[in-house]
Amino acid sequence: MSKTEIEFDAIVVGSGISGGWAAKELTERGLKVLLLERGQNVEHIKDYTNATKAPWEYPHRGGRTYAMEEAYPVLKRDYPLNEKNLDWWASDQDSPYTEIKRFDWYRGYQVGGRSLTWGRQSYRLGDLDFEANAREGIAVDWPVRYAELAPWYDHVERFAGISGSRENLPQLPDGEFQPAMPLNCGEELVADKLKAAFDGVRRMIPGRVANLTQPLPGRSPCQFRNACWLGCPFGGYFSTQSSTLPAAMATGNLVLRPFAIVTELNYDADKRRVVGVRVQDAVTNNTTEYQSKIVFLCASTLNSTWLLMRSATDIWPGGLGSSSGELGHNLMDHHFRLGARGRIDGLEDKYYYGRRPTGFYIPRYRNVGDDKREYLRGFGYQGGASREDWTRSVRELGVGGDFKDSLSQPGAWTIGATAFGEMLPDHKNHISIDESRTDKWGQPVLAIDCEIGENEHLMRKDMMNDMAETLEAAGVKDVFTYDVGYAPGQGIHEMGTARMGRDPKSSVLNKWNQVWDAPNVFVTDGSCMTSAANQNPSLTYMALTARAADHAVAELNRRNL
Amino acid sequence: MTHLTRRESFRRAAILAGASGLPFGCAPASESVPAAWQPLELKPVTATGYGTDPNLIHPAPAPWILTLTEKQRNLAGVLADILIPAEGDIPSATGAGVIDVLDEWVSAPYPLQQEHRAVLLSGLDWCEREADNRFGSTFATLTEMQQLEIVDDIAFPERTAAAFAQPAAFFDVLRRLVAGMFYSSPEGAAELGYLGNVPISGDWPGPTAEAMAHLNEQLNKLGLEL
């Protein structure tokens, strides 16, 4: 291969939310960038083959088959196993892993990664979150504060297109929002009553979501189909394909290579730098070495750490970044799957319009201000109000015309929400390389050992009971609580294992997401998280990635890298 | 609602018919002892099924034989059309082909369908015996009002007398099956005006011009305007 085919200014590993942002920011600053993706290409619009299908246009109504359940022993544990977008979930058989304790790992191995299938809820972290570890003596302090990250949140929100409302809440900073997707009238009714019932402490606000309510270049506003995870032909939600990849491509500085599995970072001990990466072709198994001045690791939380663990092992047996003893440790997720539901009386002449791809959000209020609980941190709620459909019980309406009428009329209003709680970083929760097993490509797999602790169990009581209390205080009837159980990983918010910090002795990355032991390697996906907060994390990965890319280019220009 | 519902108008017509001394069968239902519920002893269906994961876009014909007798199909059809009668251009349940689907459903070799078969056949059998018990005739040959008198006792679980608990449970199964089959037929889906998941850009555009014209016309009649 010619020099221009193997030499780049920057290599980005992974093309999901973080990798797409790295590619955009680096190419726009003039760097020649190679974007490597282990899976197949998915072209915007053209490859959204199921985006406009009705359920009956699938061989199995879009559901799951016996054959699928057999082929996907992990994926079948939760909603991702389905006929509609199965191609966008990694194969459990090709890419196995070892569960020392149950850990549901739902991966997206294709161009765009899980940016195609993500839940799109987008919330900033605030200083309540960034200062928490230091204040409480948990793990290590975040090396950044909100003020440093705020302009980068502004930057990514404007480009990605986040719709939301300004609420002036210190624990959930406002952003550069497009107009919110409003609460429906059932939610508004409850939101109004909540204001009085809890003196404004428990607030119900429109979900902040990466779906457009105003057009952006090359993208249409959301069409209210709520079919985002099939890929949006209108570019209505943020994904690599709809947003960052076209921007990176437009610079002329990007080379995208699918089916490229990065198996090792090539570390030069004399330069104390990584000088390139080794790539295994996922189809041919051929190996290629690429060179670059800097590398951005955006391969997803556990996979970026896997790659560090597999690199520079001749210097550090635990891999690049392991000198702190923290590489692979402090794995986190958001624990959830519990809350409450009930029925709203009245509003029988009201309905809602379209299929809104978000709901309401109740920002964290526990351990905020003067509130003090027996556990640390807190949780937020995500939910919605809707009217029951024809599947409700209509037996009392008997036969004939009345029966038909009742079936075609909407039923009662119901409202409910699920809590998403912060999980504390714990050194015990860790991943390691399982040398005894290999994947389809002959690479050793990860072993995952993770569980929630006492703090989370205590929090879960509030997470369930608070919602019932909240709904009842707002006049909601027939309220019932639920807790359907939680296994780590189910939140699909894996975080940690290569945390940022202020000290190379206790963290893997510095405040600019640079690996302490190889400062030209930046890890900007969820691996870098020092704590989990309770907010959905992807927006923070975007902001950290853009900030790190800006720093990387500045450091290159200063000839520090 | 101020207008009489269909069911209520039948009920009042029946009362009138009784009061005016028109022939209306035997004693009123409230005084008769309903036919006993007798679960039928059925030979299990042992046909081969589809196997797992059949392609539903191009479904193969059901590999099992249909098991309902002509008499059972007719009776099920009468009940299905009481549940979902024809209205204007919209066909009744039988008009939309529900009985063919029902026959295939209860003849299938799977546990749920076999369960439904036992309930359905026992229920149809009960209807025949109750028709004979009350009116001395087969159900299908009863007048519409006589049929409705029996149905009235089993179609409203919220106020069903204990003596009718099992027939009412049968009717509930029949109702769910018939409604599901009717509304998933092309005719039933058309009646709902089901649009599917269509793109909608922006806020609600407001009522259609047609709806506004209608509203204005009605308001004008009342001497009002928007």
Side-chain angles (χ1 to χ4, degrees), chain A residues 4-310:
Chain A
T4 53
E5 283 174 301
I6 56 164
E7 281 191 17
F8 294 86
D9 295 323
I11 291 171
V12 177
V13 184
S15 63
I17 287 178
S18 305
W21 269 102
K24 170 188 175 303
E25 298 293 307
L26 295 171
T27 53
E28 286 181 344
R29 284 167 176 75
L31 269 56
K32 298 284 179 195
V33 175
L34 173 65
L35 178 57
L36 297 171
E37 166 53 50
R38 64 174 298 147
Q40 65 179 339
N41 198 5
V42 175
E43 279 188 51
H44 188 41
I45 302 176
K46 174 180 154 288
D47 289 337
Y48 303 155
T49 47
N50 290 336
T52 58
K53 274 188 188 163
W56 54 86
E57 294 174 288
Y58 296 89
H60 307 100
R61 304 287 189 259
R64 50 177 65 182
T65 63
Y66 288 94
M68 282 158 63
E69 292 199 336
E70 209 159 291
Y72 292 87
V74 174
L75 206 59
K76 78 171 183 188
R77 296 172 187 170
D78 213 337
Y79 72 88
L81 183 67
N82 76 99
E83 192 178 25
K84 295 180 179 179
N85 68 357
L86 192 59
D87 286 352
W88 296 352
W89 299 99
S91 159
D92 291 337
Q93 288 180 345
D94 290 352
S95 302
Y97 61 98
T98 299
E99 295 173 272
I100 294 171
K101 299 188 186 81
R102 176 179 166 181
F103 189 94
D104 295 6
W105 192 17
Y106 303 135
R107 298 156 286 175
Y109 288 172
Q110 64 278 326
V111 170
R114 289 178 294 188
S115 80
L116 288 167
T117 53
W118 69 309
R120 304 168 316 295
Q121 292 290 306
S122 300
Y123 301 95
R124 294 186 179 202
L125 272 54
D127 273 335
L128 183 68
D129 306 304
F130 289 117
E131 291 171 359
N133 280 2
R135 191 171 52 240
E136 297 159 358
I138 298 291
V140 296
D141 187 18
W142 274 91
V144 290
R145 287 293 179 265
Y146 178 67
E148 289 170 78
L149 206 51
W152 295 103
Y153 275 125
D154 291 349
H155 173 68
V156 298
E157 282 169 346
R158 276 193 294 259
F159 184 80
I162 310 295
S163 56
S165 59
R166 301 183 69 84
E167 302 288 345
N168 202 24
L169 297 167
Q171 74 274 36
L172 191 76
D174 289 330
E176 293 289 306
F177 298 136
Q178 295 199 352
M181 294 183 167
L183 301 179
N184 65 37
C185 65
E187 294 159 356
E188 245 171 24
L189 182 81
V190 171
D192 280 346
K193 288 185 179 166
L194 274 192
K195 275 182 206 154
F198 293 98
D199 202 20
V201 169
R202 299 189 192 180
R203 304 249 310 247
M204 185 176 286
I205 67 173
R208 295 173 178 174
V209 68
N211 287 71
L212 304 183
T213 51
Q214 291 173 339
L216 284 177
R219 300 175 57 194
S220 301
C222 175
Q223 303 292 303
F224 287 80
R225 299 170 66 241
N226 195 18
C228 310
W229 73 334
L230 307 178
C232 182
F234 305 92
Y237 73 92
F238 171 89
S239 65
T240 295
Q241 275 83 350
S242 72
S243 298
T244 47
L245 187 59
M249 284 292 188
T251 64
N253 290 329
L254 185 75
V255 174
L256 168 65
R257 193 166 167 225
F259 292 123
I261 302 172
V262 181
T263 55
E264 191 177 340
L265 306 177
N266 295 327
Y267 181 75
D268 184 322
D270 297 332
K271 294 181 182 161
R272 298 192 61 244
R273 297 282 188 275
V274 163
V275 293
V277 303
R278 175 174 301 153
V279 166
Q280 181 177 356
D281 188 295
V283 179
T284 66
N285 281 329
N286 291 338
T287 299
T288 313
E289 309 260 344
Y290 294 96
Q291 289 154 30
S292 65
K293 297 171 189 158
I294 58 172
V295 173
F296 266 66
L297 280 194
C298 303
S300 83
T301 291
L302 302 185
N303 282 322
S304 286
T305 296
W306 176 89
L307 189 48
L308 290 171
M309 288 174 162
R310 298 286 296 158

